[in-house]
Amino acid sequence: MDSSSRRRRVPLVDMLSVMFGVGAWISINGLWVELPLLVQALPEGWSLPSFMSIIIQIANIGPIFYSVMHLLVPHIVHEKPSIYVLMVIGVLSSLLMGFFWDATSYINGEEHSTGLLTLLFFLSLVDCSSSVLFMPFMARFRQAYLTSYLIGEGLSGFLPSIFALIQGVGGNPSCRNTSTIVNGSESWQIEAFYPEPNFSVSVFFFILMGLMVCCAASFIGLNHCGVARQERYESVATRIPVAIDNQTFVASTEIVDPTFNGKSAKINCQVELDSVSEEQQLVNTDIPKSVFIYLLLLQAWVCALSNGALPSIQSYSCLPYGNTAYHFAVTLSAMANPLSCLIAYFLPITNVCLIVVFSFLGTSVSAYIIALAALSPTPPLVGYPSGETLMILSWILCVGLLTYVKVSIASLFRMEEGKGNRNLFWFGVFTQVGSAIGSIIAFLLVNVYQYFDAYYPCT
């Protein structure tokens, strides 16, 4: 087969692959960027992010269950029917979220957002399970379309941020005197009034549902469109998920690609890595065992911060500077994640010392953010534009640096000759362990020990 045929791409299949990738993490990413409005309206208030982090960790029961059942009864439990089930759950949960996100009930005498948190579990079940289902499914297609899928995954964090920026938060709250009549006597109190955003929270969730519908339609197209079926590999030897994580999944597949003259070609896929160039895949590295263990511990530490602790206390570090500042910190830092992956694709780090330097810088910025949360409701420079700007830039820089470190460690592990699958399996394990530890510690500090204090603008 000539080189022109070898490079041929079908735009329709590229588009379907991108939209399929958008659905992978669209729900969770959308909820995170909507937090500035959710914490105003729901009873958990500033502690809502810590509840969300714990529920997302619990939802990893989905990919674990699928992986076990796939190994035990692979002829019954496999990708295509499982993905169809996920799509139904995702679309229905997104639809219900638009109607019941503010539904509450009392549990042990305390009011909780049972509507949002229950539906969050099902949406997280879909997103976390996509890690062990979407990538193996895409392994059926030519390697060129894997890049399109990963672009879609990057957009799953970028698109909700764009919609959140358009939505806005209406501005910072104003304080007003309100009167209430109790037993015939009138009393006055000062309450905070929040301006209305450009469109409601329900509309935002309906937009996310529309994107999930597009994802489901793209999956159907990839399965049944004749042009898409022609872009598949003739045979797939293995499709085995090797690591599970709410943020990162590694899949390894042995395939026979007709465009490579029938030669076996191995593809390793990483969610947070857009892809690894052919030149990088050919580099042979030998990582000493001590360095390998150190990098795994570093990965666990970075994920404990980025996936667990920092999201749980984001409201405490941002809201004292105002609702608008919180809004920009959440949306712009969400955009920094795919941007950092893109930078890592063109400028990868293979030097361990540089990885350590970047992780130190990310940890230093994280320490500043944690200090802001600990000093709430009166962190440094509160009430000054310089304080707001520094806080927002800190969040953008923190997410960018920590994401760059995670991608770089995964790249280094993948390039080790003959050990890429084993390395990335342990990479996924330590990623999940670190994320869980960070979420649990943050949840205890926020909700049990009540270490962080909320800011009330009208007190």
Side-chain angles (χ1 to χ4, degrees), residues 283-287 350 411-417 423:
V283 175
N284 296 331
T285 61
D286 186 13
I287 304 175
T350 57
S411 298
L412 189 62
F413 282 177
R414 180 186 296 184
M415 288 189 294
E416 187 173 18
E417 185 180 18
N423 291 351

Side-chain angles (χ1 to χ4, degrees), residues 294 298 301-302 354-364 402 405:
Y294 174 77
L298 184 62
W301 167 253
V302 168
L354 282 178
I355 292 176
V356 173
V357 169
F358 276 93
S359 64
F360 174 78
L361 293 175
T363 300
S364 300
L402 295 182
V405 169

Side-chain angles (χ1 to χ4, degrees), residues 50 53-54 57 304 307-309 312 434-444:
S50 63
S53 295
I54 287 293
Q57 295 299 323
N307 300 345
S312 300
S435 302
I437 291 175
S439 298
I440 292 171
I441 292 176
F443 182 85
L444 293 174

Side-chain angles (χ1 to χ4, degrees), residues 29-225:
N29 289 329
L31 278 164
W32 281 117
V33 298
E34 193 69 358
L35 273 175
L37 293 175
L38 296 177
V39 296
Q40 298 174 14
L42 298 177
E44 289 83 4
W46 289 25
S47 64
L48 180 63
S50 63
F51 281 93
M52 290 174 55
S53 295
I54 287 293
I55 289 176
I56 292 171
Q57 295 299 323
I58 296 174
N60 276 293
I61 189 175
I64 293 174
F65 175 78
Y66 169 80
S67 297
V68 172
M69 295 302 296
H70 180 70
L71 292 174
L72 294 178
V73 284
H75 59 289
I76 298 177
V77 179
H78 49 91
E79 302 104 52
K80 287 178 63 175
S82 300
I83 293 176
Y84 276 116
V85 172
L86 284 186
M87 293 300 174
V88 172
I89 295 175
V91 172
L92 289 179
S93 298
S94 299
L95 176 63
L96 293 174
M97 184 71 82
F99 290 107
F100 301 108
W101 67 270
D102 56 351
T104 62
S105 60
Y106 284 88
I107 300 175
N108 293 329
E110 294 185 3
E111 189 179 13
H112 287 285
S113 309
T114 48
L116 182 135
L117 295 177
T118 301
L119 292 171
L120 170 62
F121 172 77
F122 287 103
L123 291 173
S124 300
L125 199 66
V126 172
D127 289 6
C128 294
S129 299
S130 71
S131 296
V132 296
L133 288 168
F134 287 16
M135 295 289 283
F137 174 77
M138 289 306 300
R140 299 169 181 261
F141 295 85
R142 290 172 50 208
Q143 185 175 0
Y145 299 108
L146 180 61
T147 302
S148 301
Y149 169 82
L150 292 172
I151 290 173
E153 282 213 340
L155 291 176
S156 71
F158 189 80
L159 289 178
S161 300
I162 293 295
F163 288 120
L165 285 174
I166 296 173
Q167 180 187 27
V169 291
N172 293 323
S174 60
C175 300
R176 301 178 187 176
N177 283 323
T178 59
S179 63
T180 57
I181 298 177
V182 180
N183 297 327
S185 61
E186 185 178 20
S187 62
W188 291 82
Q189 60 183 2
I190 299 177
E191 291 185 359
F193 284 83
Y194 292 88
E196 293 294 326
N198 294 323
F199 54 85
S200 67
V201 173
S202 294
V203 171
F204 180 83
F205 285 134
F206 288 140
I207 292 174
L208 295 186
M209 185 203 70
L211 292 174
M212 275 300 301
V213 171
C214 292
C215 173
S218 298
F219 176 66
I220 295 173
L222 289 171
N223 274 295
H224 299 289
C225 180

Side-chain angles (χ1 to χ4, degrees), residues 316-379:
Y316 294 93
S317 67
C318 298
L319 269 175
Y321 294 96
N323 209 41
T324 302
Y326 182 22
H327 170 66
F328 282 111
V330 170
T331 52
L332 295 180
S333 63
M335 292 180 178
N337 190 305
L339 179 61
S340 183
C341 291
L342 185 64
I343 294 174
Y345 170 65
F346 291 105
L347 298 173
I349 302 177
T350 57
N351 186 287
V352 176
C353 292
L354 282 178
I355 292 176
V356 173
V357 169
F358 276 93
S359 64
F360 174 78
L361 293 175
T363 300
S364 300
V365 180
S366 301
Y368 175 74
I369 292 174
I370 294 172
L372 294 181
L375 294 172
S376 175
T378 55

